[in-house]
């Protein structure tokens, strides 16, 4: 009796998939190497020119000299904070874009950063808040409230990318006007906030790093844990449910992660825009739509962009400094216009 043999299964797709995974892993290692190089540049380059041997001495043979103080007490905390804040902004942008299925979603564009900033300004001016520990909780509150408001104004479940972007822009404009009004009426608040509100790493110190690091790291862990559910949600709610994703808990977890990441980042150095918009778009060109890789790459490349912008701001206007928020806005504005004018975006 003849027995029908099973059809042969081609191994080509499996080999191709493994090759893609290997290429992504190699690319991630290369991104980590770039991050290390930019971090070294952030420590070695600044408004004050310093020879490399003095930088080395400040890092590994600290003796309390003025050069050592600049390296160890100013540039190292600034670099560490830049890595943490960049990670937070990149991850929050990637999660926000996946959650809303909106390629224009970003904490700055959707008003989340402005909400956090408005809450902090209010706390400083009306409640006398003066420490970062107080700023963080108010920033969380502002970020969470504005996230919900923009999502509702954008149409909730029927929201389109353009409607969400318009709702976020309107909310940001209103909140920026409120922030400016408070600052003009309260000269003390203006003195405290005039650099903070444009986004800056200049006031970083190790206390700041220690206070915001737990919130950013918890938010990062939550964001990474959402990779698979967000992949399922990208195929539609019905398909996601069929694949076993809990949409309610995924949305709650995503909003909690976004609030933690944006709130802590904004409390630490003010509202910095466009990092969360640019980097996930660049990453998807490298990795494809798989959110597990998008999140991993965004967590590495966002600090690269933020630290690079900070170094540029310290160099181009020596001996003064150009705040990193201004540099990212100058770069991000044209990128945003390009994304809006793309053929696919115009059809949404």
């Amino acid at each position: 009796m003849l027995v029908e043999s099973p059809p042969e299964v081609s191994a080509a797709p499996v080999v191709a998939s493994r090759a893609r995974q290997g290429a992504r892993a190699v690319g991630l290692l290369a991104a980590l190497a770039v991050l290390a190089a930019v971090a070294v540049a952030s420590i070695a380059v600044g408004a004050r020119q310093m020879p490399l041997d003095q930088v080395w001495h400040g890092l590994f043979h600290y003796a309390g000299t003025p050069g050592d103080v600049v390296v160890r007490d100013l540039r190292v905390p600034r670099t560490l904070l830049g890595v943490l804040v960049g990670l937070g902004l990149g991850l929050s942008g990637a999660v926000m874009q996946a959650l809303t299925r909106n390629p224009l979603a970003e904490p700055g564009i959707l008003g989340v950063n402005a909400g956090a900033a408005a809450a902090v300004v209010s706390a400083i001016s009306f409640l006398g808040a003066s420490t970062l520990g107080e700023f963080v909780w108010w920033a969380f509150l502002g970020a969470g409230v504005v996230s919900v408001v923009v999502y509702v104004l954008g149409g909730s479940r029927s929201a389109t990318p353009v409607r969400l972007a318009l709702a976020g822009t309107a909310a940001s404009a209103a909140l920026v006007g409120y922030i400016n009004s408070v600052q003009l009426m309260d000269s003390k608040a203006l003195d405290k906030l005039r650099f903070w509100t444009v986004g800056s790493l200049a006031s970083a110190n190790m206390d700041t790093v220690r206070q915001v690091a737990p919130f950013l790291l918890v938010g990062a862990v939550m964001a990474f844990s959402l990779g698979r559910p967000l992949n399922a949600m990208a195929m539609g709610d019905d398909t996601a449910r069929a694949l076993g994703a809990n949409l309610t808990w995924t949305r709650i977890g995503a909003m909690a992660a976004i609030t933690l990441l944006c709130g802590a980042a904004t409390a630490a150095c003010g509202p910095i825009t466009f990092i969360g918009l640019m980097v996930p778009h660049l990453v998807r060109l490298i990795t494809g739509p798989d959110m597990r890789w998008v999140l991993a790459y965004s967590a590495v490349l966002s600090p690269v962009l933020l630290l690079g912008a900070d170094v540029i701001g310290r160099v181009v206007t020596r001996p003064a400094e150009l705040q990193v928020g201004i540099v990212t806005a100058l770069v991000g504005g044209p990128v945003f216009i390009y994304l809006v004018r793309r053929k696919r975006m115009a059809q949404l």
Side-chain angles (χ1 to χ4, degrees):
M1 182 175 62
L2 296 177
V3 179
E4 184 178 354
S5 60
E8 293 184 4
V9 178
S10 174
V14 176
V15 173
S17 176
R18 289 178 179 174
R20 284 196 299 270
Q21 294 286 79
R24 289 167 177 167
V26 171
L28 187 59
L29 291 176
L32 286 169
V34 173
L35 175 58
V38 174
V40 170
S42 178
I43 296 172
V45 179
R48 171 181 173 177
Q49 294 184 339
M50 189 177 297
L52 291 178
D53 59 338
Q54 191 171 8
V55 174
W56 181 268
H57 188 275
L59 285 173
F60 300 106
H61 306 285
Y62 185 85
T65 64
D68 291 350
V69 170
V70 168
V71 172
R72 180 77 68 86
D73 298 337
L74 297 179
R75 291 186 184 177
V76 169
R78 184 170 185 159
T79 301
L80 291 174
L81 186 63
V83 171
L84 289 171
V85 169
L87 177 146
L89 295 175
L91 286 177
S92 61
V95 172
M96 191 176 289
Q97 289 173 13
L99 178 67
T100 62
R101 298 173 198 162
N102 178 6
L104 297 181
E106 190 264 347
I109 293 172
L110 295 191
V112 180
N113 285 347
V120 172
V121 169
S122 300
I124 291 173
S125 183
F126 303 126
L127 301 177
S130 59
T131 65
L132 182 63
E134 295 173 302
F135 292 174
V136 167
W137 297 109
W138 286 103
F140 289 157
L141 177 63
V145 169
V146 172
S147 297
V148 174
V149 169
V150 168
Y151 191 59
V152 172
L153 290 177
S156 187
R157 291 183 179 274
S158 62
T160 64
V162 173
R163 289 178 66 180
L164 283 170
L166 289 174
T169 300
S172 294
L175 291 168
V176 168
Y178 167 76
I179 292 169
N180 291 336
S181 299
V182 171
Q183 290 177 320
L184 289 174
M185 291 186 296
D186 189 339
S187 59
K188 292 182 179 179
L190 175 62
D191 291 337
K192 293 179 182 178
L193 293 167
R194 54 192 175 130
F195 292 110
W196 182 83
T197 51
V198 297
S200 175
L201 297 172
S203 60
N205 55 53
M206 288 307 299
D207 287 337
T208 303
V209 173
R210 282 191 288 267
Q211 288 181 30
V212 301
F215 299 106
L216 290 168
L217 294 177
V218 170
V221 171
M222 293 176 66
F224 282 121
S225 70
L226 295 170
R228 288 183 181 275
L230 290 175
N231 278 341
M233 287 181 63
M235 294 182 283
D237 289 358
D238 293 337
T239 303
R241 290 191 187 95
L243 292 174
N246 188 319
L247 300 187
T248 300
W249 283 110
T250 299
R251 291 191 174 105
I252 291 173
M255 291 304 299
I258 291 167
T259 301
L260 280 172
L261 294 167
C262 292
T266 303
C269 53
I272 297 175
T273 57
F274 292 114
I275 297 287
L277 173 70
M278 292 184 285
V279 174
H281 276 281
L282 172 64
V283 165
R284 278 191 286 271
L285 294 176
I286 301 171
T287 67
D290 190 335
M291 281 301 299
R292 294 169 296 179
W293 287 102
V294 170
L295 290 170
Y297 271 78
S298 296
V300 177
L301 292 180
S302 295
V304 170
L305 179 57
L306 184 60
L307 289 178
D310 188 45
V311 171
I312 291 172
R314 282 184 269 172
V315 171
V316 295
T317 57
R318 279 177 174 167
E321 291 188 15
L322 190 65
Q323 281 76 23
V324 66
I326 297 174
V327 179
T328 58
L330 290 173
V331 175
V335 173
F336 179 68
I337 294 171
Y338 165 74
L339 293 173
V340 171
R341 290 180 61 86
R342 284 176 61 186
K343 183 177 180 181
R344 282 189 302 168
M345 285 302 305
Q347 295 173 346
L348 290 175

